[in-house]
Amino acid sequence: MSYILSIEFLCLFLIITSGLYIAWNACHQLSWLGAAQTDIGIPINEPVVPWRASWQRNLTLLIQITCVVLLSRLIVYLVAYLAFIAMKDNGGGFSDLFKHIWWRWDSFHYMNIADNGYAAEGKDRYLLVFYPLYPALIAVMKGFVADTFYAGVTVSLINLVLSCFFLFKLVLNEFENEAIAWRAIKYLLLFPFSFFTAIVYTESTFLLMSIACFYYMRQGYWWQAGCFGLLAALTRNHGVLLLAPMVFEMLRQHQQQWPSDWQQRIKFIAPKLLSLALIPTGILLYLVLNKWVTGDWFRFLDYQKENWHNGFGYFAQNISGIFERIQGTNYKMVAGTWWPTFIGFFLAIALIVTSIRKVPSAYVIYSFCYLLISYSPTWLLSGPRYLMGLFPLFIFMALWASKHKSLESLLDISLGVFLALFTVLFFHSVVY
């Protein structure tokens, strides 16, 4: 068991040292604690100047991104279809097998909620652990696409297109480099678990809300950022973590603008605090939903333990437990769940740490908090899928590729191969 303790110690050491390094760099972006500029030359007391474009340019960009996204997802669908008929010896047309391939795991639950709402009794009561925004969007889409499954896929695809659109504009605002912006989109679409963004799962919806929150946050549009943060928190519990970078950005952008008079100071800070409060309001609304359905504000916690065998645990112990499961004999689970969960943690830490001095601290703070929370569930089956929702990783990868262009093709090919592999493992029911 000594190697298990060694892994726990390594994880704890990495988190502590990374956290201190992130905090040190963040402090140097605050004038009363450190330097007067960020490492990429953005003045600390001003928001990012937005990329200005005409509506024609935005429309052209949106069409380009739509074509890229739909083509990339069509390729993923075709790879899954061809692999399925080859491995399962199950003939049928593309449309005939589409549901059979992609309708799995949580998809059933989101569709059930979209069709029937939340239940207070029976087995369906356990579906209360799923946050309401995505199934609500599916229910709305059913007015245009009658089939619930295809309504869910449509919502995911639309939100994926919009996620890439906002990501492009966000990266262009930050770095004024279209090549880096396109690379960020490329790595979002090539990420080995990106197939979740085009099926009945919350990934693309959460990406849209969190990226849009950052897009407005970095420009100092606090109400818009707060609204998208609220929607992110209504999509997944990770959404409330947007509170951390938003607090930091408010301090960074307004630290030299505080009025000296107390009355003026209250007028200055009150609307900003109200916009900030929108993000935890998303969680509050979810608790109200719990109370309305079951009479208990926190009933979802009981359901997580009763039916999903999950709770909030010590991340280092969780990771060491995952490493122990790697030694098991269920090789499909080892390949599809345990190894990518284990390796994903360390690769994410490496990307975050190596990007600290290349990006504004808000991205690093958010990534650090998100990674820590994502690896805290005691029964961690979906660690790699959770990483799919951490959009700064795609920016970090784009920056790395732009600096190491000789290795970019190798990275792209490797990601494509792993995307195909995990897509196949998904319909073998060992990716969650």
Side-chain angles (χ1 to χ4, degrees):
M1 296 294 292
S2 60
Y3 69 90
I4 298 295
L5 294 176
S6 298
I7 291 172
E8 285 190 35
F9 176 79
L10 175 61
C11 293
L12 184 60
F13 175 77
L14 285 173
I15 289 295
I16 291 175
T17 54
S18 300
L20 291 174
Y21 188 31
I22 291 166
W24 181 82
N25 276 273
C27 287
H28 275 252
Q29 294 187 34
L30 302 176
S31 62
W32 64 82
L33 293 172
Q37 287 193 335
T38 69
D39 297 319
I40 60 173
I42 300 173
I44 58 170
N45 60 336
E46 295 181 8
V48 171
V49 177
W51 175 61
R52 301 297 181 185
S54 64
W55 68 267
Q56 294 97 332
R57 172 64 180 127
N58 277 319
L59 180 59
T60 301
L61 176 63
L62 182 59
I63 292 172
Q64 290 173 332
I65 289 175
T66 300
C67 293
V68 169
V69 168
L70 294 183
L71 179 60
S72 72
R73 297 311 88 179
L74 178 60
I75 292 172
V76 171
Y77 292 151
L78 287 174
V79 168
Y81 168 70
L82 294 173
F84 186 86
I85 60 176
M87 295 179 179
K88 296 286 189 176
D89 193 25
N90 189 342
F94 179 84
S95 59
D96 297 328
L97 293 177
F98 190 83
K99 277 188 180 181
H100 194 64
I101 294 171
W102 297 110
W103 191 354
R104 296 176 186 276
W105 304 123
D106 291 352
S107 298
F108 292 97
H109 307 317
Y110 290 119
M111 292 168 59
N112 191 332
I113 297 170
D115 286 333
N116 307 308
Y118 292 97
E121 298 177 348
K123 190 175 181 180
D124 285 349
R125 71 185 185 278
Y126 293 119
L127 301 186
L128 187 62
V129 303
F130 294 95
Y131 281 59
L133 181 62
Y134 181 60
L137 293 176
I138 297 175
V140 172
M141 184 56 67
K142 284 172 59 183
F144 304 92
V145 181
D147 186 281
T148 307
F149 174 79
Y150 286 109
V153 171
T154 302
V155 170
S156 292
L157 287 172
I158 291 173
N159 288 342
L160 178 58
V161 169
L162 294 175
S163 298
C164 291
F165 178 73
F166 271 102
L167 181 61
F168 184 94
K169 296 186 71 172
L170 175 63
V171 175
L172 197 58
N173 281 349
E174 299 288 8
F175 304 103
E176 298 181 352
N177 188 318
E178 288 198 14
I180 295 176
W182 280 114
R183 281 190 179 98
I185 290 176
K186 176 177 68 175
Y187 291 123
L188 187 158
L189 297 175
L190 274 179
F191 192 77
F193 293 85
S194 66
F195 58 84
F196 281 109
T197 61
I199 58 177
V200 187
Y201 268 77
T202 60
E203 266 53 47
S204 58
T205 302
F206 182 77
L207 281 171
L208 171 60
M209 303 311 169
S210 55
I211 294 171
C213 179
F214 257 82
Y215 175 73
Y216 289 111
M217 177 199 310
R218 287 287 294 157
Q219 297 179 52
Y221 297 143
W222 305 120
W223 285 108
Q224 293 92 324
C227 288
F228 278 106
L230 184 153
L231 294 175
L234 280 173
T235 306
R236 279 168 50 179
N237 57 2
H238 293 81
V240 75
L241 300 176
L242 291 162
L243 195 65
M246 191 158 164
V247 168
F248 176 80
E249 278 298 306
M250 279 189 176
L251 292 174
R252 185 188 71 84
Q253 293 182 28
H254 296 298
Q255 58 185 319
Q256 295 180 350
Q257 300 173 6
W258 303 115
S260 57
D261 180 75
W262 277 103
Q263 289 184 340
Q264 292 298 321
R265 186 172 293 180
I266 292 173
K267 290 182 180 180
F268 180 76
I269 198 173
K272 295 172 179 59
L273 291 178
L274 288 174
S275 63
L276 191 68
L278 287 173
I279 297 177
T281 298
I283 296 296
L284 179 60
L285 290 174
Y286 175 65
L287 297 180
V288 170
L289 175 65
N290 275 256
K291 177 68 173 178
W292 179 60
V293 173
T294 70
D296 184 347
W297 296 90
F298 299 97
R299 182 58 58 86
F300 73 100
L301 295 174
D302 297 331
Y303 290 167
Q304 283 280 15
K305 293 178 182 178
E306 289 176 19
N307 192 65
W308 311 98
H309 312 293
N310 226 336
F312 192 81
Y314 173 41
F315 76 95
Q317 192 173 51
N318 293 342
I319 295 170
S320 63
I322 290 166
F323 185 76
E324 195 170 15
R325 295 185 193 106
I326 289 172
Q327 321 303 319
T329 57
N330 187 341
Y331 299 115
K332 287 184 179 180
M333 279 291 292
V334 170
T337 299
W338 305 130
W339 265 122
T341 302
F342 183 77
I343 294 174
F345 173 82
F346 294 100
L347 288 179
I349 283 287
L351 277 171
I352 293 169
V353 171
T354 56
S355 301
I356 286 176
R357 300 187 65 83
K358 300 175 184 175
V359 300
S361 286
Y363 295 90
V364 180
I365 292 170
Y366 174 64
S367 300
F368 185 77
C369 295
Y370 185 103
L371 183 66
L372 191 61
I373 295 301
S374 294
Y375 275 76
S376 294
T378 51
W379 182 233
L380 186 59
L381 282 175
S382 304
R385 177 167 64 84
Y386 294 156
L387 292 180
M388 182 68 234
L390 184 53
F391 80 89
L393 291 182
F394 312 125
I395 301 176
F396 302 159
M397 293 168 71
L399 292 172
W400 184 91
S402 64
K403 186 177 179 180
H404 302 88
K405 293 182 180 179
S406 61
L407 298 175
E408 184 174 3
S409 295
L410 178 62
L411 175 62
D412 295 351
I413 293 171
S414 300
L415 290 173
V417 169
F418 280 113
L419 174 56
L421 171 64
F422 290 120
T423 298
V424 171
L425 289 174
F426 177 74
F427 67 67
H428 276 93
S429 299
V430 291
V431 174
Y432 302 88

